Every structure is written in C-alpha cells, then in structure tokens.
Amino acid sequence: MMKKTNCSDIPEIQNYIDLVHSGYIEVCKEQILLCDYVEKCFEKEELYVDIEALNKYLNYQKYFPFNLLEWEVFCFTLHNCTYTKNGMLRFPDLLILVGRGAGKNGYLAYEDFCLLTPVNKVKKYHIDICANSEEQAKTSFEDVYDVLDDEKNKKKFKKHFDWNKEVIKNLKTGSELKFRTSNAKTKDGGRQGKVDFDEYHQYEDYKTINVFLTGLGKKEHPRTTITTTNGDVRDGPLDKIISRSEQILIGAIDDNGLLPFICKLDDEKEVDNPKMWDKANPSLHKLPHLQAELKKEYINYKEDPISNSAFMTKRMNIPKGDADKEVTSWENILATNQEIPDLEGATCTVGIDYAKTTDFVCAGLLFKFKGKYYWLSHTWVCENCNDLGRIKAPLREWEKAGYLTFIKGPEVPPNTPVTWLQEQALKYNLTILGMDQYRYTLLAKSLKEAGFDTDKGGANNIKLIRPSNQMLNYPLINSAFTNHNIVWGDNPLMRWYTNNACIKQEKHDNFSFGKIEPKSRKTDGFMAFVAAMCVSGDLEDSGETFDIDDLELGVYTY
C-alpha cells in the first residue's frame, strides 16, 4: 500500500510550485492560488503519489519530439498519479486553459499515449478525444499516430500497438484511442475510461458534452481532460467551468475532483508589457520562436485591435469579442448579476419586443432604485418557431428555472404577454409602455383592453420606439452598463439576449441597436429592455425618500 505523500517530497509537483513562487516568470493570480490550494490538499488530506507509475510514464518522453515542461509534469502528476486514501484519483478532472501555442495538444497526446499502456493497470481503458470539428479532434490523435509511425521506433511499437487513421489500440491492454466530433453518428453507448475535450470554448451548451460523457464510470479511475484557449462563446460551458474554478481556488466551494489550471493576464492593460505574456502562456519562456511570433502579432493587434482581437482572446485568454459591434463588454454584462431589492409598489416603465408572435416574445418592467436600473422580465417561445433547431442555448433549462415559457400552438397569443403585465400591475405601478413601432399592430387590441393605448384622447401611455429614440438613449444605456448600474440578477437568458445584440453606426456618430445574427441569436429581451429605457426619462427613483421636516432642502437619496 502506498504511503502518505508530502507535497514537498514530489519534485514533479514541487518544482512547478517553486517556479511559480520564484518570480522567475510572471504568473497570474489563478496560478498562485492553485499552488497554494494543492499544498493545502496535501497538508490536510491523506494523499498518495504512485511514484513507480509516474517514473514509468515520464520515461515515455524519449519517444516524443519534446520533453514535458514544468507545468505539464505538474498537471500530469496530479491528474494521473495522485490518489486518495481510498485508492481513488484525487483529481480525475483536469482543466487546462492556456494561451495558444503553449503545447496543450502535445500534452494531451502524451497523456493519452501513457494511459493506453500497461502502466495504467485498467484494461480496455478506451479514450475519446472530442471536439466540434474533425480537424481539431484529430490533432492530438495524429500526434500519437506520428509517434507510433516514426521510423525510429515503428518496428518496436508494432509489437505493442495496432494503429490506423481512425483508431490506435494497445495490444496488451486492449485500450483504444479514437477521435469524435459533434457530428459523430454514434456518440453514446461506449465504455470509455477517459474523455478529452479539445477547444472547449467552442461548445455553446452541454448537449453534446453530456452525450460524450455517458460512457464514463464503467471503468475504474474515469478521467476527463479539457484543453482550451478562451473564445467568443459567452455564458457557455467554458465560462461556467472558469467561474466554478475561481470559486474552488478561493476555497468557496469543494473542487469535486477538478484541477483547474488557468493561465491568463490579470488585466488587459498588461498586454502592453511582453514580460506579462508568460501569465497567459506558461511555456513561453522556453519557446523563443513563439516569443518572436507573439511580438509580431502584438504590433498588428495595436494597429488594428478589432481585426486582431484573437490576439487577446486566444493568446492572452482575455475575451474581447467584436468591440466595434458588441453592446458592451462581457464583464459589464456579468455585472448585471446583482441582488434585486424588494420593489413591490414601485413605479416602473414597460418594454415589449418580438419579431413575430410565431417566434420569441418578451415583456419586462424597468425600475429605477437608488440610481440603478432594475429589469424584471419574462419570455414566451412558440414551440413551432422555425429557428429552434438552430438555437444552441439551453432553452429548456431556462424554462425550468422560470425565465421563459414555451407556448404550444401556432403562435404566442397576443393576450399572453398582456395578461402577464396585468398580473404585474397588482404588485407594481406600471406607467408608460415602449415598443417598436412596427411591432405594435399585433398586440394593439389586447393592450388597449388592458389599459395601454396610443390614443391621445385616452390613456396615451404607449410610446412607439424608432431608431432615433434608440440613438438618443444610447449614451444613457452605455453609461449605465459601464458603471454597472443595470441589474437583472442571475438571469442567463438576459445575458444571452444582450450578448446577441450589436450596436449599429448611424449618421453623425450616433448609434442604435440591432442583431448579430437573426436566426439563432435572439435579442428580444434586450430590445424590450431598450424600449423600456427609451421611455424612462420621467421615471421616478423609488429609492428616494422625502424628509417631512426638511422639505425645503429637497430630496435625500439613501
């Protein structure tokens, strides 16, 4: 039986920890937190490192065209050779988020090769490399293939492996390495020992991910390895595992077996100091050719940051998106997740937006409270919407969470959002309603019956929004986002809506709002919010109070 191991007794772990703390290279805060976290795990838990297996694994470096770097040995040891007192893998799940060029595919190929061999004592330990495209899924697979097919060792490997362009098999263990994509005809029903996800940032939801994972658990010591840079998909699986990792590293939640190895700039301003680039790429200090390439790309980025935004997103792991089109930064969108106070009885404006009643319809209420704008909304989705097959967002999950409702039948009836507004009127003081002038006709009758009308001789409490209204209110909306004064709580549907919207350049340096892509990236909730903002000029701040004894001094805000 293996004896309890101290972290400092394992140079394969301690060497990297020492490098992080040495100051020899710049490291991000996540790396410092990770090293501290690993040391605490070894200090507080009864952990074991299988030194014999580790040495055998590392001996396989002689067959590869590279040696593992300090960070790779660190990850490999913790992920593959570190066990609990019950003989379970301590870190069966590994996330490697590093800048492009760090060698993540080489690492993945090496790890998979090792786990096919008899050193891993689990027979038929099948491994699937998964990605959104076949080209990406084949990258690490072909790295292993090339090692086996190298003329220097091919004759020797023929005694131990059988390989072709689709599967690599160890003859003694029966373990197989394959690659799979989201278009694979057969994804489930396997008995994998390990599943890899390459370029995890490309996944927009968990549908395909969950299918690939269904075979795990049927073999001893199941593992997953995620290798990725950052990307342009927001609020998807990558953002969620990054958020989870941050909570793990500060000790807020249990790691549940996840080892989060994250490398990124701490601040986007650090991009202007090449010494800081090591923070995003832990291999950079050993790769002079890559250093030269990054310096060239940096010059291009500074000259044209829009066209070269991938330098920040994929090299530095700071998502930039398309800054000339995005409504606001992702950081500002995430900042909408603030606590919503009790607004019962408060005054609000109303916004409604939809493209067609056979599509998405959203209605919402906009409040002003202590200088911030609070947005409460609901969405209705027609089950016959032709675009549903294109949408990769987890709509059914959002329905269960209460953010939207699917409507059976040919359309969302016009009285459905109006009935919702009538229900809200029992709790809040609804005043003026804003909606796109071209969308009004279908809902006009139902709105009038509920007390909303454009008739100047009647209620006159509907304002039809035109692009000119958006242009007038763009500075207000932009400022509110920038100062984190827009709040809708932890609402992934609203984050999705907003991330799907873009700004449109109008005449005389004015801006309005539009859609990035009309079929699969809906914006109805955001546009309903914009409509409500456009009619909020006279909206009272419900957080203000009057002191009767000091009326002459005016209003006090608390």
Side-chain angles (χ1 to χ4, degrees):
M1 182 177 178
M2 293 180 288
K3 296 181 179 179
K4 182 181 185 304
T5 308
N6 294 317
C7 188
S8 58
D9 295 334
I10 310 300
E12 290 80 7
I13 297 174
Q14 193 63 43
N15 285 350
Y16 182 70
I17 293 176
D18 291 342
L19 176 64
V20 165
H21 292 309
S22 69
Y24 178 73
I25 61 171
E26 297 291 338
V27 295
C28 64
K29 63 182 181 182
E30 286 82 0
Q31 287 301 302
I32 296 172
L33 288 171
L34 176 61
C35 289
D36 292 344
Y37 187 80
V38 169
E39 287 181 317
K40 288 178 183 177
C41 288
F42 273 88
E43 179 183 342
K44 295 181 178 180
E45 303 172 30
E46 197 169 344
L47 301 182
Y48 311 87
V49 175
D50 188 340
I51 301 296
E52 181 181 356
L54 176 61
N55 289 334
K56 289 180 179 179
Y57 283 140
L58 294 179
N59 191 48
Y60 290 137
Q61 292 180 85
K62 62 188 177 185
Y63 300 120
F64 281 73
F66 57 82
N67 285 324
L68 298 181
L69 299 177
E70 300 99 328
W71 71 268
E72 294 173 305
V73 175
F74 174 79
C75 289
F76 186 95
T77 304
L78 292 169
H79 185 38
N80 298 291
C81 299
T82 302
Y83 297 85
T84 68
K85 64 179 181 179
N86 296 323
M88 307 290 288
L89 287 170
R90 176 60 182 86
F91 297 105
D93 303 314
L94 171 64
L95 167 65
I96 296 178
L97 173 67
V98 290
R100 178 186 285 171
K104 61 186 184 302
N105 281 110
Y107 171 85
L108 193 61
Y110 185 87
E111 183 176 85
D112 288 350
F113 174 89
C114 289
L115 294 175
L116 292 176
T117 69
V119 180
N120 176 16
K121 298 177 183 179
V122 183
K123 300 288 186 180
K124 295 186 177 180
Y125 195 81
H126 304 319
I127 303 172
D128 286 345
I129 305 175
C130 308
N132 257 343
S133 69
E134 181 173 306
E135 181 181 3
Q136 189 61 50
K138 290 172 66 174
T139 302
S140 293
F141 177 91
E142 289 180 341
D143 285 346
V144 178
Y145 180 96
D146 290 342
V147 168
L148 298 174
D149 217 49
D150 190 313
E151 290 299 329
K152 293 184 297 183
N153 300 302
K154 188 174 183 179
K155 184 176 180 180
K156 179 178 182 179
F157 282 134
K158 278 291 185 181
K159 299 177 182 177
H160 304 285
F161 289 90
D162 185 21
W163 65 91
N164 56 47
K165 292 292 186 178
E166 295 184 352
V167 59
I168 295 169
K169 182 176 182 178
N170 186 284
L171 299 176
K172 185 172 183 179
T173 65
S175 301
E176 296 178 349
L177 177 65
K178 296 179 180 179
F179 57 88
R180 296 179 180 270
T181 70
S182 58
N183 296 318
K185 294 180 180 179
T186 303
K187 300 172 187 170
D188 54 0
R191 296 174 178 266
Q192 300 96 329
K194 181 172 186 275
V195 176
D196 301 328
F197 293 99
D198 195 9
E199 297 301 3
Y200 199 67
H201 66 84
Q202 294 177 346
Y203 291 100
E204 296 188 25
D205 56 42
Y206 291 96
K207 291 178 183 177
T208 303
I209 293 171
N210 289 337
V211 171
F212 286 136
L213 292 174
T214 56
L216 286 178
K218 299 173 184 178
K219 296 291 181 180
E220 190 178 6
H221 301 320
R223 293 175 174 87
T224 61
T225 301
I226 295 171
T227 54
T228 189
T229 64
N230 218 310
D232 298 320
V233 175
R234 297 277 66 84
D235 224 15
L238 178 59
D239 278 351
K240 288 174 182 173
I241 198 171
I242 290 174
S243 177
R244 178 186 161 202
S245 297
E246 291 171 347
Q247 293 297 299
I248 290 169
L249 293 176
I250 64 174
I253 62 174
D254 186 79
D255 62 67
N256 198 29
L258 175 64
L259 180 70
F261 189 88
I262 296 174
C263 294
K264 55 185 280 294
L265 295 186
D266 288 318
D267 187 295
E268 64 179 80
K269 294 178 182 178
E270 292 177 337
V271 72
D272 296 322
N273 182 354
K275 290 183 179 180
M276 297 297 172
W277 297 351
D278 288 312
K279 288 187 175 186
N281 191 324
S283 306
L284 189 60
H285 66 289
K286 294 287 185 72
L287 302 173
H289 294 295
L290 182 60
Q291 294 173 27
E293 177 61 27
L294 260 61
K295 289 178 181 177
K296 288 173 57 180
E297 291 183 12
Y298 170 74
I299 293 172
N300 293 334
Y301 168 73
K302 295 299 288 186
E303 290 179 350
D304 184 359
I306 304 303
S307 300
N308 297 286
S309 61
F311 181 78
M312 286 294 286
T313 301
K314 297 184 179 297
R315 292 293 198 186
M316 301 296 145
N317 283 329
I318 299 292
K320 292 300 291 180
D322 197 348
D324 64 337
K325 291 184 178 180
E326 62 187 14
V327 167
T328 190
S329 70
W330 182 243
E331 178 186 10
N332 290 340
I333 294 175
L334 288 178
T336 61
N337 183 8
Q338 302 175 43
E339 185 177 353
I340 299 175
D342 182 6
L343 298 168
E344 188 165 351
T347 298
C348 61
T349 60
V350 180
I352 294 180
D353 191 81
Y354 62 97
K356 298 174 290 186
T357 54
T358 55
D359 198 347
F360 283 51
V361 178
C362 181
L365 312 178
L366 182 72
F367 303 83
K368 193 173 183 181
F369 187 86
K370 296 185 179 180
K372 294 191 176 187
Y373 292 95
Y374 292 85
W375 174 249
L376 306 178
S377 63
H378 195 78
T379 292
W380 297 267
V381 181
C382 178
E383 286 197 336
N384 291 335
C385 173
N386 292 328
D387 296 335
L388 289 181
R390 303 170 183 260
I391 297 172
K392 296 183 178 180
L395 299 179
R396 291 294 180 180
E397 290 181 20
W398 293 344
E399 182 183 35
K400 291 178 182 178
Y403 300 114
L404 62 85
T405 302
F406 275 94
I407 302 296
K408 297 183 183 295
E411 69 169 358
V412 177
N415 66 325
T416 296
V418 175
T419 299
W420 183 83
L421 290 178
Q422 290 175 312
E423 294 170 352
Q424 304 312 306
L426 300 176
K427 296 174 60 179
Y428 312 108
N429 179 28
L430 280 58
T431 56
I432 190 168
L433 183 152
M435 66 183 301
D436 189 290
Q437 61 175 334
Y438 298 111
R439 313 292 187 230
Y440 172 64
T441 306
L442 277 174
L443 269 63
K445 183 175 182 295
S446 294
L447 286 170
K448 188 172 184 178
E449 292 173 352
F452 289 100
D453 198 353
T454 58
D455 186 357
K456 292 185 178 180
N460 192 25
N461 56 0
I462 295 180
K463 183 173 182 178
L464 301 181
I465 305 302
R466 298 171 173 81
S468 58
N469 300 115
Q470 293 186 11
M471 285 184 268
L472 284 171
N473 284 275
Y474 170 78
L476 171 64
I477 295 171
N478 182 57
S479 175
F481 269 123
T482 301
N483 291 290
H484 299 170
N485 287 331
I486 293 174
V487 180
W488 49 62
D490 188 7
N491 188 327
L493 178 56
M494 276 304 302
R495 292 195 292 267
W496 181 67
Y497 278 141
T498 307
N499 197 50
N500 292 343
C502 65
I503 56 174
K504 296 162 60 178
Q505 178 79 52
E506 305 287 355
K507 294 180 180 179
H508 309 300
D509 292 327
N510 290 314
F511 297 95
S512 62
F513 300 99
K515 300 180 179 180
I516 293 176
E517 195 281 310
K519 299 293 185 181
S520 63
R521 301 183 64 177
K522 303 298 181 181
T523 61
D524 304 81
F526 176 73
M527 298 306 289
F529 166 78
V530 170
M533 287 289 290
C534 286
V535 296
S536 67
D538 295 325
L539 180 61
E540 67 180 45
D541 191 320
S542 299
E544 293 181 343
T545 185
F546 293 91
D547 189 328
I548 296 177
D549 295 328
D550 298 299
L551 283 177
E552 62 182 20
L553 297 178
V555 178
Y556 287 84
T557 302
Y558 61 93

